[in-house]
Amino acid sequence: MDNFSPEIIYMRMALREAERAAAEGEVPCGAVIVLDGQVIGKAHNQTETLNDPTAHAEILAITQATQETGNWRLNGAVMYVTKEPCPMCAGALVLARIEKVVWGMTDPVRGGAVSKFQILNTADLNHAVEIQTGVMEMECKAVMQGFFQKRRKEAKERKQQSRQNDEDSYP
């Protein structure tokens, strides 16, 4: 894959969305949906911001894409997402008839596409989604790992500050 392949171009867009999520304190996942060479949806996780457990990047991007096309069926569309979709998002990809999903990093603990569950290619469902994995995997992992390292560091600092405050309050 060269730097000008669609996979790289659109995954870079998804990474920018993931970075926006991280800047907002959200788990850094970004998604972009493309149909006939045009971006028809892009989003990042907003579960905390919207106080909505369904506000994952994939779901929000699907909503934008269906509004853009005026059709809930996104036949022929490709989603680029920074990490493997969870079971909820994988189900939404099937229901929306997304043709293909391309992601950077797999999620062996919660992955709904191939890792933990195989929703995208379950024979009993009415649609199967083509899969391409590992696109810009290192960059996607770096954003995710950086986010959680920062969170752990901040939690440790808060705990240390709390201990210090407790010690200072005793005579």
Side-chain angles (χ1 to χ4, degrees):
M1 260 179 281
D2 63 48
N3 285 337
F4 301 107
S5 69
E7 290 84 4
I8 299 298
I9 291 167
Y10 296 124
M11 189 59 75
R12 281 188 181 137
M13 292 176 85
L15 270 166
R16 282 194 295 276
E17 288 294 318
E19 289 164 352
R20 286 183 63 196
E24 295 172 10
E26 299 278 358
V27 172
C29 185
V32 173
I33 300 177
V34 178
L35 180 63
D36 299 327
Q38 299 293 316
V39 174
I40 59 171
K42 67 178 181 173
H44 57 278
N45 278 358
Q46 294 187 56
T47 56
E48 299 293 334
T49 303
L50 299 176
N51 198 29
D52 180 353
T54 68
H56 290 198
E58 299 94 327
I59 301 295
L60 297 173
I62 287 170
T63 299
Q64 283 183 12
T66 59
Q67 290 172 349
E68 178 70 21
T69 62
N71 192 338
W72 64 268
R73 292 177 190 88
L74 297 174
N75 296 318
V78 178
M79 177 181 282
Y80 299 85
V81 62
T82 54
K83 76 170 216 42
E84 178 181 358
C86 72
M88 173 184 70
C89 294
L93 289 163
V94 170
L95 292 172
R97 314 295 201 277
I98 297 281
E99 180 177 315
K100 179 179 179 179
V101 63
V102 178
W103 70 77
M105 61 177 281
T106 56
D107 184 351
V109 177
R110 293 173 219 55
V114 297
S115 295
K116 186 77 170 175
F117 305 96
Q118 293 76 42
I119 294 169
L120 296 183
N121 289 306
T122 299
D124 292 337
L125 298 176
N126 62 340
H127 178 71
V129 180
E130 186 181 335
I131 298 166
Q132 182 178 347
T133 66
V135 175
M136 298 184 68
E137 181 177 10
M138 298 309 289
E139 294 88 342
C140 294
K141 280 184 178 180
V143 170
M144 190 69 70
Q145 289 170 341
F147 174 79
F148 283 106
Q149 285 170 352
K150 181 180 176 191
R151 259 196 167 169
R152 285 189 294 274
K153 182 182 176 198
E154 290 169 350
K156 184 178 178 181
E157 290 170 355
R158 281 192 305 275
K159 188 174 181 180
Q160 287 173 341
Q161 184 62 46
S162 177
R163 268 195 230 127
Q164 186 63 43
N165 291 344
D166 288 345
E167 290 172 8
D168 291 346
S169 65
Y170 292 107

